[in-house]
Amino acid sequence: MLTILFVNVSAQVSPKEDGIEVIKVVGQATKTQGLSVKDAAVDGPFGDGLALQDIARSVTPISSELIEQLNITNLQDVLAVSPNTYSASGFGAPSLPTIRGQLGELFQDGTRRQAGNNGFGVPLSFNSVEQIDVIKGAPPVLFGSSQRNGGFVNLHSKKASIYETKGKLSVSAARWEQYRVLVDYTTPIVKDKIGLRVSAEHVDNDSFYDFSHTQSDSFFAALQILPDDKSSWDINFEFYQVEFTDNAGINRPTQALIDHGLYITGQGVQTNGSTVPAAGSIVSPTGLVHIHRSNVLTDPDNLNDASTYLIHSIYKRELSDFLSVKNISYYQHLEREEIAQNSFVEIIDGADTAQNRTELALQWTPKEQTILAFDVRYNKVLGYSQFTTEADLPIDLTAPIQNRRIPLTEAQKARLVELRPGVFVSPGGQYDIDGNGTGDFNMSDTTDSTSWQTGLAIQHDSYWSDKLHINIGYRADFYDVFAQDPIAPIGQVAASDDIKEVLHSFQISANYKISDDFTIYRVLSYNDATSNSMAGGNALNSDNIISEQNFATGNKLLELGLKYGPADNNWYADATIFNQRRSLRNRDGSNSGIDTNGFEAQVFYDAYPYWISAGYSYIHARYDDSASAQDSAQVIDAFDNSRPDIVNGTGVGAPSYTVFPASNRTLQGMPPQSFSFNGNYSVNTKWQVGFAGLYTKSYPLDFLATVHIRDQYTLSVNTSYSFTPNTKLRLDVNNITDQENWRPVFEGGYFGATLVFPELPINAKLTLTHLF
C-alpha cells in the first residue's frame, strides 16, 4: 500500500497579547493512496507536467497504482474508471481503445503506435506501461493527423531510476488455467546520472472459450540518462511476441439468444445444394437449443501469431532561460500471420514505422509560450489479405467442427492469387482478364505501400490573467503515398498509384478559473484524418487508385467542461458536455457522417483508509444524413420460413452485404448510458477490501434495431493482504453474480446482425506480489 502524506499550511494573525503579535500556524494533514487522478501529472499531448485542471479536455490519467487497483489488463478495462469508453470485443483481442462511440488512437510516449485494422489486430501487453492517459476527442495539433478520432490513449513507458535499486515480482493464476509472471527491476548504473530498468512478462492463458488461448512473451528495457542539470534522455526498447485466437463470438444473434441463450440450429445451404458456408446460403431451422456460452466461432486448426519490437527515445534540453528543445523518436517493426479455416487470411510480411518529432518551446514571458514542431513519419507495409469468402451466419455452431470450415472452390481460387501452396489471397489491384469490362478478382486489403507524413505545427499558450488561459494551435500534414500490388496475377502488370494530399488540424481552447477550486473550459477542434488498412498501410481501390476519400474524413469537436480540484481536500470531479462529428469509412470506400452528442462525469475521493470513484456517461450518436452498411440486413435473413414456430425467416440468404439509405438513425452497438463505480477500504495497514461495478443501458445490436442487448450490470470484488511491507497476496473475483452479459464483436455495428460476444462468467484470479 502506498500512502503519501500532504500537509497544507496556513498562517493566521491573532490580536497582540501583551504587546506581542501572535502568529498561529495551522496545518491539515491529508493522506492519499496514489489512486486519485488529481495526483497524476499529464505529459505529452498539451505540454509536460500538467495537472488536470490545466487541461482543456476530458482526461482520465490512470497511474500504476490505479492500474493495479482496478485490475486493468487490456484496453477494454479502462471503462472501469473512464466514462464513455465502452467497446466492442475486437474479436476477443482488442488492440485499440473505443472512446465516445468510436475507435480511438493508441499512442506511446507521444507517438502513434501501429495497431489493428479497425480494432482487430495484435493484443497489447502492459509490461512496458507506467501510466495510461485516456483523453477524449481527436489528438491535439502536436500529435498530428491520424486515423481515429473518438479520443486516444497515451501510454507512458516505465522509467529507470537513477537514485535507488528496487524490484518487483508478480505471479498470478486464474480460472481456466490462466497464468502470468512478471519481473521488474531497476538500478542506477552511475548514481544520479544513469539508470537501467528491465521488465519481463510471460503469459500462458487457456480460456473459457472453446479452442481459444493466448501465449505471449514481452521483454522491456529502459535507460534514463542525465548528462547534466539541463538535459535528460530516456530510451526504451520492447520486444513482444504472441500467439492468440481470433474469437468471433456466437453467430445468429436473435433476441432469444440474447435473452434466454437459445440458438437456432441448422446448416446453411447454397443454391447448388452445398452446405459449405457461403454468401446467400439459407438455413432451414431444425431446432431451438440452449447453447453453451463457450461454444464460439473458433477453430482448433487456426494459425494466428505476431511479433513486434519498438524503440522509443525522448531527449529534452534547456538551451537557455528562453528556449528548450524536446526530440521524440520512435521505430516499430511488426510481423503477423493469421490463416483461418473459414478462409480468412491476414499476413503482414513486414510493417515498419519510424517517426521523429522535434519540439521547440519558446518562453517569451512567464505568461506566454509558443511550441513549434517539425514531425516526420514513415510507414511501409507489405501485407496480404483475404476476407471476401467468409460467411458466418450459415454456420451451425452445434454441428461438427467441419461445418465451420470454408474450403475454396476452383471458381473462388480463380478470383484470388496463390501466395504459397494452399494459401490464397486477394491481389492488391483489379484486373480484367477476359476483357468484358468487369474485374475478375476479389479485393481486400493486400498492399505494398509506403507513406511519408511531414507535419508542421505551432501551438501558443497565453495567460491573459491569473484566471484566463488560452491555447491555440494549427498543424499541416503533407502526405506522399505510394501503393502497388505485391502479388499481381500471372501475366498482369502490377497496378500502382500514388497520391499527395495536405491535411489540416486546428484547435482553440480556453480555461477560466472561477475560483481556486473550480475551472471551466471550452475547446473547439477540427482535423482531417486518414483511412488506412492493416498496419496503417494504404490499399488500392477496385479502380486501382488510392481514393481521395481516404484523406477526407473530417472530424469536429466542441466540448464544454467544469473541473473541481481543491487543494485542501481529497475530492476531484469533472463534468463535460460535447458534440463530435466525424466520418466513418465504409467497406465499399464511402464515408458515413456520424453526429455524436453526450455528457460524461467522473468523481474521485482518495484519503486513507478509503478510496472511491464513479463515472457516468450519456451518449447519443446518429447517422448524419448518411448511408450505413452491414454484413447482413438482419439476422432473420439467414432463415427460411419452414419453421415459423422457431423463427419467421425472410429467406433472403446470408451473408448479404446491405447498404442502408441515408438516414438519421441511432448508431447501433453502443449503450446510450453507462455507470461505473469502484472503491476500496483499508481494514488496517495490512488488509484491504475493494469492489467494482458497471451498468450499461439497453441498446440495439443491429442497424434496424431488431435485436437489443438489454440492461446489463457486472459486479466484482477484491481483497488483498500484506504479509510483510513487501509481500502482498490479492484475490479478484470478477462478475461475482455470474451475469450472462453480451458485447458487440466489431466496432461500428458492421456485424451487428451476424455476431455477438458472450462475456465471461464468474471467474477469480490470485496474484502474489513481492517487492525487493
Side-chain angles (χ1 to χ4, degrees):
M1 179 188 69
L2 174 65
T3 302
I4 303 171
L5 178 67
F6 290 96
V7 180
N8 297 310
V9 178
S10 61
Q12 299 177 355
V13 180
S14 299
K16 293 182 178 180
E17 299 178 7
D18 298 329
I20 301 174
E21 186 176 73
V22 178
I23 300 176
K24 295 181 179 180
V25 178
V26 180
Q28 179 184 10
T30 62
K31 294 182 178 180
T32 174
Q33 302 167 85
L35 299 176
S36 175
V37 297
K38 183 172 71 171
D39 301 326
V42 178
D43 290 334
F46 309 97
D48 289 342
L50 299 179
L52 287 189
Q53 297 96 306
D54 299 327
I55 301 174
R57 284 287 186 93
S58 176
V59 182
T60 306
I62 307 173
S63 65
S64 57
E65 293 83 8
L66 196 50
I67 291 172
E68 179 180 347
Q69 173 61 37
L70 296 174
N71 191 28
I72 293 176
T73 58
N74 62 57
L75 287 173
Q76 288 181 335
D77 293 337
V78 298
L79 178 61
V81 69
S82 182
N84 265 327
T85 55
Y86 182 83
S87 65
S89 73
F91 288 93
S95 63
L96 290 168
T98 300
I99 301 173
R100 290 181 177 171
Q102 61 172 302
L103 284 173
E105 288 290 6
L106 180 64
F107 289 80
Q108 186 162 2
D109 298 328
T111 54
R112 180 160 48 102
R113 283 183 55 142
Q114 288 175 352
N117 181 14
N118 294 321
F120 173 56
V122 180
L124 178 68
S125 168
F126 285 167
N127 176 44
S128 65
V129 177
E130 191 85 78
Q131 179 172 311
I132 305 170
D133 292 341
V134 184
I135 303 170
K136 316 297 172 59
V141 296
L142 289 180
F143 281 11
S145 171
S146 60
Q147 182 177 358
R148 306 167 184 94
N149 292 276
F152 61 98
V153 167
N154 188 30
L155 307 175
H156 295 271
S157 298
K158 295 175 177 176
K159 287 190 174 184
S161 174
I162 60 172
Y163 306 112
E164 61 179 338
T165 297
K166 58 183 179 179
K168 174 182 177 181
L169 170 66
S170 176
V171 180
S172 67
R175 191 181 179 186
W176 307 300
E177 298 184 16
Q178 299 190 350
Y179 306 104
R180 175 178 178 264
V181 178
L182 181 142
V183 180
D184 189 348
Y185 179 78
T186 182
T187 187
I189 299 176
V190 178
K191 189 74 171 179
D192 300 336
K193 290 288 185 180
I194 303 175
L196 171 68
R197 186 168 185 173
V198 293
S199 181
E201 176 195 60
H202 175 72
V203 174
D204 188 351
N205 288 347
D206 204 342
S207 177
F208 163 74
Y209 306 106
D210 292 347
F211 314 121
S212 184
H213 73 282
T214 301
Q215 289 184 336
S216 68
D217 291 285
S218 170
F219 174 78
F220 173 80
L223 276 175
Q224 181 176 187
I225 304 172
L226 298 184
D228 50 49
D229 61 352
K230 295 184 179 297
S231 59
S232 66
W233 192 11
D234 288 286
I235 309 167
N236 60 67
F237 168 85
E238 181 183 8
F239 173 76
Y240 178 63
Q241 62 179 13
V242 60
E243 296 179 7
F244 63 104
T245 300
D246 172 2
N247 187 341
I250 298 177
N251 64 346
R252 305 179 182 177
T254 63
Q255 199 64 56
L257 176 68
I258 302 299
D259 293 344
H260 308 295
L262 296 176
Y263 183 82
I264 301 173
T265 60
Q267 185 75 2
V269 180
Q270 300 182 40
T271 55
N272 62 5
S274 171
T275 58
V276 173
S281 297
I282 298 176
V283 180
S284 296
T286 58
L288 192 63
V289 302
H290 190 277
I291 190 170
H292 197 278
R293 292 167 63 85
S294 65
N295 189 357
V296 291
L297 195 54
T298 54
D299 193 298
D301 291 343
N302 285 354
L303 171 68
N304 196 8
D305 58 44
S307 64
T308 185
Y309 60 87
L310 306 87
I311 301 171
H312 283 92
S313 167
I314 302 176
Y315 177 77
K316 300 178 183 179
R317 182 167 180 82
E318 294 181 13
L319 301 176
S320 68
D321 294 340
F322 164 76
L323 182 65
S324 62
V325 63
K326 179 179 179 180
N327 183 270
I328 304 173
S329 299
Y330 152 77
Y331 172 76
Q332 181 174 3
H333 176 79
L334 170 69
E335 295 181 4
R336 180 178 178 221
E337 180 163 296
E338 178 175 5
I339 301 174
Q341 298 301 308
N342 68 345
S343 75
F344 177 83
V345 176
E346 182 170 291
I347 297 172
I348 300 175
D349 264 355
D352 294 278
T353 304
Q355 183 173 353
N356 181 273
R357 182 170 71 250
T358 299
E359 300 174 8
L360 289 175
L362 296 88
Q363 194 72 46
W364 306 104
T365 70
K367 294 185 177 182
E368 302 284 338
Q369 183 191 60
T370 301
I371 298 178
L372 303 174
F374 176 71
D375 200 345
V376 178
R377 182 179 176 91
Y378 167 82
N379 192 60
K380 180 173 177 56
V381 178
L382 174 60
Y384 307 92
S385 176
Q386 148 57 7
F387 50 69
T388 61
T389 56
E390 285 183 84
D392 296 329
L393 277 173
I395 295 170
D396 183 349
L397 286 179
T398 66
I401 196 74
Q402 288 78 8
N403 286 34
R404 309 179 185 188
R405 297 174 174 172
I406 305 177
L408 299 177
T409 66
E410 292 304 316
Q412 289 171 325
K413 292 177 181 178
R415 296 186 60 84
L416 302 169
V417 180
E418 192 169 20
L419 176 64
R420 64 180 74 143
V423 178
F424 288 83
V425 297
S426 299
Q430 186 58 271
Y431 307 91
D432 180 12
I433 302 293
D434 56 18
N436 66 353
T438 303
D440 296 320
F441 293 87
N442 297 347
M443 292 188 65
S444 49
D445 285 337
T446 296
T447 188
D448 181 1
S449 65
T450 301
S451 170
W452 285 95
Q453 174 186 350
T454 304
L456 298 172
I458 181 171
Q459 176 178 292
H460 184 74
D461 289 274
S462 177
Y463 289 84
W464 291 18
S465 68
D466 292 338
K467 293 182 177 292
L468 180 61
H469 170 213
I470 303 294
N471 172 283
I472 186 168
Y474 169 77
R475 173 163 169 156
D477 280 290
F478 303 86
Y479 280 86
D480 187 351
V481 180
F482 173 79
Q484 64 182 354
D485 182 0
I487 189 168
I490 296 175
Q492 300 298 309
V493 177
S496 64
D497 189 32
D498 63 271
I499 191 170
K500 293 179 174 62
E501 294 285 342
V502 181
L503 275 63
H504 304 273
S505 57
F506 169 81
Q507 68 190 34
I508 182 169
S509 65
N511 289 46
Y512 184 78
K513 291 184 72 69
I514 302 174
S515 67
D516 290 341
D517 295 342
F518 289 94
T519 301
I520 191 171
Y521 73 87
R522 186 169 185 175
V523 59
L524 173 65
S525 170
Y526 171 83
N527 82 325
D528 296 321
T530 62
S531 179
N532 306 109
S533 59
M534 55 182 170
N538 293 269
L540 299 175
N541 277 5
S542 57
D543 53 5
N544 290 339
I545 66 170
I546 303 171
S547 173
E548 292 183 359
Q549 289 292 305
N550 289 354
F551 302 87
T553 52
N555 301 270
K556 298 178 182 178
L557 167 67
L558 179 62
E559 182 173 311
L560 177 66
L562 176 67
K563 298 186 178 185
Y564 172 66
D568 58 354
N569 68 47
N570 305 294
W571 290 93
Y572 173 82
D574 61 40
T576 304
I577 57 174
F578 62 88
N579 171 256
Q580 286 189 194
R581 296 187 178 186
R582 64 180 173 104
S583 295
L584 175 68
R585 190 79 166 132
N586 296 318
R587 180 174 173 178
D588 63 1
S590 63
N591 284 334
S592 293
I594 307 294
D595 190 359
T596 304
N597 294 282
F599 169 82
E600 58 203 23
Q602 58 184 356
V603 59
F604 291 82
Y605 177 80
D606 181 17
Y608 182 82
Y610 300 101
W611 171 77
I612 58 172
S613 77
Y616 171 76
S617 305
Y618 167 78
I619 189 167
H620 178 237
R622 62 176 179 84
Y623 291 95
D624 190 11
D625 293 320
S626 295
S628 179
Q630 272 185 181
D631 182 57
S632 292
Q634 52 187 340
V635 65
I636 60 174
D637 289 348
F639 308 102
D640 62 25
N641 203 27
S642 60
R643 290 288 304 274
D645 57 316
I646 297 176
V647 60
N648 290 311
T650 64
V652 170
S656 52
Y657 177 73
T658 304
V659 178
F660 299 104
S663 74
N664 296 107
R665 293 182 70 99
T666 298
L667 184 69
Q668 67 272 34
M670 181 172 49
Q673 298 183 67
S674 65
F675 174 70
S676 64
F677 57 91
N678 304 273
N680 75 4
Y681 170 69
S682 296
V683 180
N684 52 47
T685 57
K686 293 185 176 182
W687 183 23
Q688 290 182 321
V689 293
F691 59 87
L694 172 65
Y695 164 80
T696 54
K697 187 70 175 172
S698 174
Y699 59 95
L701 186 60
D702 61 320
F703 178 84
L704 295 175
T706 63
V707 176
H708 281 74
I709 292 181
R710 307 298 192 187
D711 291 17
Q712 299 183 151
Y713 71 89
T714 305
L715 299 176
S716 302
V717 296
N718 65 80
T719 184
S720 63
Y721 186 82
S722 298
F723 296 97
T724 72
N726 294 330
T727 304
K728 179 172 68 175
L729 185 66
R730 171 172 168 142
L731 174 67
D732 289 274
V733 183
N734 304 310
N735 191 11
I736 193 168
T737 57
D738 204 22
Q739 299 299 298
E740 295 186 345
N741 294 332
W742 303 88
R743 278 182 192 251
V745 167
F746 198 66
E747 303 292 342
Y750 180 78
F751 289 108
T754 306
L755 302 165
V756 67
F757 194 84
E759 295 191 15
L760 291 173
I762 183 173
N763 61 94
K765 180 172 73 171
L766 195 63
T767 304
L768 178 66
T769 303
H770 178 69
L771 306 178
F772 57 91

